[in-house]
């Protein structure tokens, strides 16, 4: 063409089509070539029509539809009044459609189509365009009517490219009609067709991908996540050969949708478990959890594909690598989580998220009872990133690991918690980690028998965080500390040699036991009123012990009437368990100390009756005396003793 200024028009047209349909060409050059063809194509209606249509499309894509209408007005005389006049009428309707005047476009297309036969070249075009016109009328959309136009075009074997475009329109109309399975099938058919036929401006991998992305995003916003997911999968399939940036965008959307659907399924499984009042969900819930796990793992694999794209910037790849690792964690697959976090730490050592990866790896190891491995991981996180929130958040689970490893690690657990409570310049009392450490510190001291030191820690926790759910348990533990320390004073009382010292110890013992009584009463009230019947297994144990310990403190104080009241209540509440038998044991003791031998004997008879009526499984794992015969022999011995 450069060597022959008067080169054949067909050659120029061929080159222009190659650029327009297959290459990424600067818009300025495309405009120049199209306008050149328009200027020189006055005696070639086929070239003129193609150039005008594509120049109009290009102008409208640039939001210059007014200029597109002006172009059509300037070229109208070139179409004449012959057979090509119908092509001008079609282009006029098309320009109106692109300009947003869909009502006028529809009217002109219907008039034009009434004069066409199925064999006419414009028949397929007008049907395709009418389908899009009635489909794009905003609130007046007529998707069923659009389907009929598109279906008519699809049946025309003489216009395969427009049949393919109409198939795409049918897919979009089916989505509006919420026929998602049909829409998915149509999209799949279009994807298959575009691999066989030459792409055009109306149907190409990019056009199909854009349509699928719009549909998927719309359904996602409407909360139809599973339907959105199906179309996002197809978008990734059709965009597989696009640029790395484009592919990464599609994969990222797919990964997010997979994770969203997984989260929704897991939430539904949790809700199902709560509605059934179960600690674990049934078969349906387990199925949903399995589906959620598989979707999270698939989401991680999709994100990993982005991380493996060498042509992307490292920051983008690193973010995708973290998404992959985190979605594996979300899946709940602990072994896979450890492997995923190991992979991220090894291949992204400079990432700011390494501290978090270490924390998550430690949590997975801890959940698998691999406490020594978890301790090593948590220590590494704190050693390498001491001032980061993630490293600081590793200290609480580190302390729990030490507790799980046995009493010989109690000092290390205490030292770890003190790192937060006294040695940290990162965590203040407003930090959740500080609250976690304070409650756990009081629990640890109580567990280790350091009751005097546990008291101020528990009191501080209750004072700082009165609305924290753990405050109720802290109140129970504080009561237990006063009870245990009060009982410990018995030994001091017996060893004391001076009357004044014995009197001081007795007063202190009663004071501690009375404080314990009050704290147990408050804990019982809190458990009963604020939680109702929805108590966790651990809280139920706390409540049971609080009821018994409250009665025990009254017993130690010599307040036998109050003790009997509380023991009787415990015996009634736990009448189907061996806890009731333990309560009857103390009721007998109280009545004996009061001198009410008849009442004591009656309590023994009630206990013996209960022993015989309890089911066998009640005695498995019971309190102190496990078997039915043990309890029977004990109360029979009491009945035959000199107490009666």
């Amino acid at each position: 063409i450069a060597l022959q200024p008067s080169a054949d028009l067909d050659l120029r047209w061929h080159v222009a089509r190659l650029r327009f349909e297959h290459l990424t060409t600067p818009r300025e050059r495309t405009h120049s070539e199209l306008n050149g063809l328009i200027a020189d194509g006055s005696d070639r209606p086929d070239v003129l029509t193609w150039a005008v249509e594509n120049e109009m499309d290009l102008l409208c894509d640039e939001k210059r539809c007014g200029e597109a209408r002006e172009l059509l007005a300037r070229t109208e005389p070139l179409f004449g009044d012959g057979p090509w006049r119908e092509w001008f009428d079609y282009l006029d309707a098309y320009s109106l459609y692109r300009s947003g005047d869909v009502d006028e476009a529809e009217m002109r297309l219907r008039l034009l189509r009434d004069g066409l036969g199925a064999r006419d070249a414009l028949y397929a075009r007008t049907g395709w365009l009418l389908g899009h016109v009635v489909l794009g009328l905003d609130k007046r959309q007529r998707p069923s009517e659009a389907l009929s136009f598109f279906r008519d075009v699809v049946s025309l074997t003489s216009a395969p490219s427009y049949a393919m475009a109409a198939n795409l329109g049918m897919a979009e109309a089916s989505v509006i009609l919420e026929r998602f399975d049909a829409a998915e099938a149509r999209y799949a058919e279009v994807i298959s067709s575009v691999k066989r036929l030459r792409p055009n401006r109306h149907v190409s991998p990019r056009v199909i991908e854009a349509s699928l992305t719009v549909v998927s995003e719309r359904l996602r916003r409407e909360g139809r996540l599973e339907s959105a997911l199906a179309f996002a999968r197809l978008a990734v399939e059709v965009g597989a050969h696009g640029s790395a940036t484009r592919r990464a965008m599609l994969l990222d959307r797919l990964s997010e949708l997979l994770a969203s659907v997984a989260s929704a399924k897991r939430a539904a499984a949790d809700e199902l478990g709560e509605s059934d009042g179960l600690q674990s969900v049934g078969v349906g819930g387990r199925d949903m959890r399995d589906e959620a796990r598989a979707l999270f793992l698939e989401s991680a694999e999709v994100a990993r594909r982005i991380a493996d794209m060498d042509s992307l910037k490292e920051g983008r790849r690193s973010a995708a690598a973290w998404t992959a690792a985190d979605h594996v964690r979300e899946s709940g697959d602990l072994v896979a989580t450890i492997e995923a976090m190991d992979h991220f730490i090894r291949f992204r050592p400079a990432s700011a998220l390494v501290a978090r990866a270490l924390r998550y790896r430690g949590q997975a190891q801890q959940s698998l009872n691999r406490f020594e491995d978890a301790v090593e991981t948590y220590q590494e996180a704190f050693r390498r990133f001491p001032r980061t929130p993630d490293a600081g958040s590793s200290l609480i689970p580190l302390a729990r690991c030490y507790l799980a490893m046995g009493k010989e690690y109690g000092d290390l657990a205490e030292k770890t918690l003190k790192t937060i409570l006294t040695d940290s310049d990162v965590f203040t009392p407003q930090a959740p980690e500080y609250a976690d450490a304070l409650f756990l510190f009081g629990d640890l001291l109580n567990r280790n028998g350091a009751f005097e030191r546990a008291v101020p820690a528990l009191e501080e926790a209750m004072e700082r965080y009165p609305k924290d759910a753990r405050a109720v348990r802290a109140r129970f533990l504080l009561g237990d500390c006063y009870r245990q320390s009060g009982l410990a004073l018995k030994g001091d009382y017996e060893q004391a040699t001076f009357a004044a010292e014995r009197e001081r110890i007795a007063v202190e013992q009663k004071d501690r036991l009375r404080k314990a009584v009050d704290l147990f009463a408050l804990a019982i009230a809190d458990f009963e009123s604020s939680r109702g019947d929805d108590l966790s297994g651990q809280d139920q144990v706390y409540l049971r012990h609080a009821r018994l310990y409250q009665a025990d403190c009254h017993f130690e104080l010599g307040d036998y009437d109050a003790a009997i009241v509380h023991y009787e209540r415990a015996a009634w509440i736990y009448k189907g368990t061996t806890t009731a038998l333990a309560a009857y044991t103390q009721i007998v003791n109280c009545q004996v100390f009061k001198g009410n031998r008849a009442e004591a004997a009656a309590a023994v008879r009630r206990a013996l009756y209960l022993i015989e009526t309890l089911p066998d499984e009640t005695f498995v794992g019971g309190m102190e005396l496990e078997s039915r015969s043990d309890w029977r022999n004990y109360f029979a011995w009491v009945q035959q003793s000199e107490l009666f």
Side-chain angles (χ1 to χ4, degrees):
I1 292 172
L3 291 171
Q4 301 180 49
S6 59
D8 186 270
L9 186 65
D10 285 310
L11 180 58
R12 290 167 56 197
W13 184 22
H14 180 63
V15 171
R17 280 185 294 185
L18 285 175
R19 291 192 198 282
F20 195 82
E21 296 177 358
H22 298 288
L23 301 176
T24 302
T25 306
R27 286 182 177 273
E28 295 77 11
R29 182 163 190 171
T30 304
H31 280 302
S32 177
E33 289 190 342
L34 290 173
N35 283 310
L37 290 172
I38 292 170
D40 297 336
S42 57
D43 60 345
R44 287 288 302 276
D46 53 344
V47 176
L48 176 68
T49 302
W50 181 89
V52 169
E53 183 176 11
N54 285 291
E55 176 65 7
M56 284 172 43
D57 256 335
L58 202 59
L59 289 169
C60 287
D61 288 344
E62 296 170 356
K63 311 299 182 187
R64 298 160 62 188
C65 286
E67 294 180 42
R69 294 283 296 164
E70 292 172 5
L71 169 66
L72 196 61
R74 288 197 310 271
T75 57
E76 180 179 3
L78 301 177
F79 288 89
D81 295 324
W84 287 96
R85 182 68 194 185
E86 291 176 340
W87 282 88
F88 174 81
D89 292 338
Y90 169 78
L91 292 177
D92 189 31
Y94 183 63
S95 69
L96 288 168
Y97 166 69
R98 289 299 309 265
S99 301
D101 192 353
V102 290
D103 290 325
E104 184 67 19
E106 181 181 2
M107 183 186 69
R108 296 194 186 189
L109 282 168
R110 287 184 181 277
L111 286 173
L112 175 60
R113 190 172 173 78
D114 285 344
L116 297 173
R119 294 181 179 275
D120 289 327
L122 279 174
Y123 187 81
R125 288 175 178 246
T126 54
W128 165 81
L129 186 54
L130 265 172
H132 278 288
V133 166
V134 300
L135 196 62
L137 291 174
D138 298 326
K139 294 182 179 179
R140 295 180 290 121
Q141 283 180 327
R142 306 196 298 272
S144 295
E145 189 175 351
L147 275 176
S148 68
F149 283 120
F150 289 137
R151 191 176 290 113
D152 189 26
V153 176
V154 168
S155 66
L156 298 174
T157 57
S158 59
S161 62
Y162 275 88
M164 182 169 60
N167 229 339
L168 180 60
M170 288 186 72
E172 293 170 344
S174 297
V175 170
I176 296 172
L177 291 168
E178 299 189 1
R179 301 172 184 172
F180 300 123
D181 290 342
E184 188 177 348
R186 287 290 174 182
Y187 274 118
E189 190 174 337
V190 174
I191 293 170
S192 176
S193 297
V194 83
K195 294 175 182 178
R196 300 192 311 270
L197 303 174
R198 189 176 74 175
N200 56 62
R201 68 180 181 277
H202 300 308
V203 184
S204 65
R206 184 64 182 271
V207 170
I208 301 168
E209 170 214 304
S211 175
L212 285 163
T213 300
V214 169
V215 169
S216 178
E217 183 61 18
R218 171 192 156 191
L219 292 171
R220 184 194 66 80
R221 289 197 302 270
E222 293 174 357
R224 303 169 184 262
L225 297 180
E226 295 199 50
S227 295
L229 177 58
F231 296 113
R233 289 186 195 277
L234 288 173
V236 168
E237 178 186 343
V238 77
H241 301 293
S243 68
T245 302
R246 190 73 186 172
R247 281 184 287 127
M249 183 196 72
L250 294 172
L251 289 169
D252 193 44
R253 286 177 175 169
L254 177 58
S255 178
E256 288 180 5
L257 263 175
L258 285 163
S260 296
V261 175
S263 296
K265 285 187 176 292
R266 187 166 59 191
D270 291 341
E271 186 176 346
L272 179 63
E274 291 176 4
S275 65
D276 290 343
L278 302 173
Q279 294 296 323
S280 59
V281 299
V283 174
R286 284 197 298 273
D287 289 345
M288 280 190 285
R289 288 198 183 282
D290 290 342
E291 290 175 21
R293 181 180 295 106
L295 287 166
F296 271 125
L297 292 174
E298 184 182 353
S299 173
E301 184 56 37
V302 170
R304 196 172 290 119
R305 288 167 62 184
I306 302 173
D308 291 340
M309 290 184 181
D310 294 334
S311 56
L312 294 179
K313 292 182 178 179
E314 174 55 28
R316 180 72 180 85
R317 296 174 63 204
S318 182
W322 174 251
T323 298
D326 197 37
H327 285 181
V328 172
R329 178 187 66 86
E330 289 274 15
S331 76
D333 188 326
L334 298 175
V335 174
T337 296
I338 294 171
E339 293 174 354
M341 296 303 160
D342 280 342
H343 186 274
F344 183 83
I345 294 165
R346 184 164 60 255
F347 291 99
R348 296 289 188 282
S351 171
L353 291 166
V354 169
R356 187 166 302 173
L358 286 166
R359 178 161 68 91
Y360 287 160
R361 184 178 73 182
Q363 289 173 348
Q365 291 166 333
Q366 184 176 1
S367 297
L368 289 170
N369 295 332
R370 291 166 49 179
F371 300 118
E372 292 183 359
D373 291 339
V375 165
E376 185 177 340
T377 297
Y378 291 138
Q379 287 176 337
E380 180 184 354
F382 194 73
R383 183 178 63 254
R384 292 176 58 186
F385 311 98
R387 297 186 60 80
T388 63
D390 284 300
S393 297
S394 298
L395 293 173
I396 296 296
L398 174 59
R400 294 190 184 279
C401 284
Y402 284 133
L403 289 174
M405 291 167 69
K407 287 188 176 181
E408 62 269 28
Y409 292 91
D411 290 342
L412 289 173
E414 184 175 334
K415 181 180 178 181
T416 302
L417 295 173
K418 283 184 176 179
T419 302
I420 296 175
L421 297 173
T422 60
D423 300 333
S424 176
D425 53 0
V426 175
F427 297 111
T428 66
Q430 287 71 41
E433 289 82 1
Y434 192 95
D436 292 343
L438 193 55
F439 279 110
L440 187 56
F441 188 58
D443 190 350
L444 171 64
L445 294 175
N446 172 271
R447 192 181 308 187
N448 290 344
F451 305 116
E452 302 287 348
R453 295 172 56 214
V455 166
L458 292 166
E459 287 179 339
E460 181 185 354
M462 291 163 55
E463 182 180 350
R464 285 191 184 278
Y465 314 105
K467 295 183 179 180
D468 194 296
R470 292 167 294 187
V472 180
R473 299 179 187 178
R475 186 170 287 114
F476 166 81
L477 292 175
L478 183 58
D480 188 49
C481 287
Y482 279 118
R483 179 183 75 90
Q484 296 272 24
S485 61
L487 294 175
L489 288 176
K490 280 185 175 183
D492 295 343
Y493 181 86
E494 293 173 357
Q495 294 177 8
T497 55
F498 298 104
E501 185 180 6
R502 291 168 69 90
E503 183 178 353
R504 180 190 61 77
I505 293 173
V507 170
E508 179 65 22
Q509 181 185 31
K510 288 183 179 181
D511 181 59
R512 294 183 185 184
L513 290 173
R514 289 192 183 104
K515 286 181 179 179
V517 165
D518 293 339
L519 287 164
F520 286 135
L522 289 172
I524 292 168
D526 285 339
F527 279 125
E528 290 180 337
S529 63
S530 65
R531 310 291 182 84
D533 296 328
D534 190 25
L535 288 176
S536 68
Q538 187 180 33
D539 282 347
Q540 289 175 7
V541 172
Y542 280 131
L543 176 56
R544 184 184 68 186
H545 282 85
R547 285 168 171 153
L548 293 174
Y549 289 167
Q550 183 186 29
D552 288 344
C553 289
H554 280 298
F555 179 82
E556 294 294 338
L557 287 166
D559 189 356
Y560 301 122
D561 289 333
I564 289 172
V565 169
H566 293 297
Y567 283 131
E568 289 280 9
R569 185 163 186 262
W572 169 253
I573 292 172
Y574 303 108
K575 57 182 177 294
T577 70
T578 54
T579 297
L581 297 176
Y584 276 125
T585 300
Q586 288 297 89
I587 292 171
V588 172
N589 289 333
C590 288
Q591 296 292 3
V592 169
F593 279 114
K594 287 182 65 178
N596 296 332
R597 301 201 172 197
E599 294 293 336
V604 171
R605 289 194 295 273
R606 292 201 302 275
L608 286 169
Y609 174 78
L610 181 61
I611 289 169
E612 301 305 326
T613 56
L614 288 174
D616 292 337
E617 56 269 20
T618 305
F619 294 93
V620 178
M623 294 179 60
E624 296 181 3
L625 302 173
E626 295 185 359
S627 70
R628 189 192 304 273
S629 61
D630 286 334
W631 281 106
R632 184 190 295 122
N633 292 338
Y634 170 75
F635 278 103
W637 172 81
V638 171
Q639 192 175 41
Q640 296 169 9
S641 68
E642 296 181 357
L643 295 174
F644 304 102

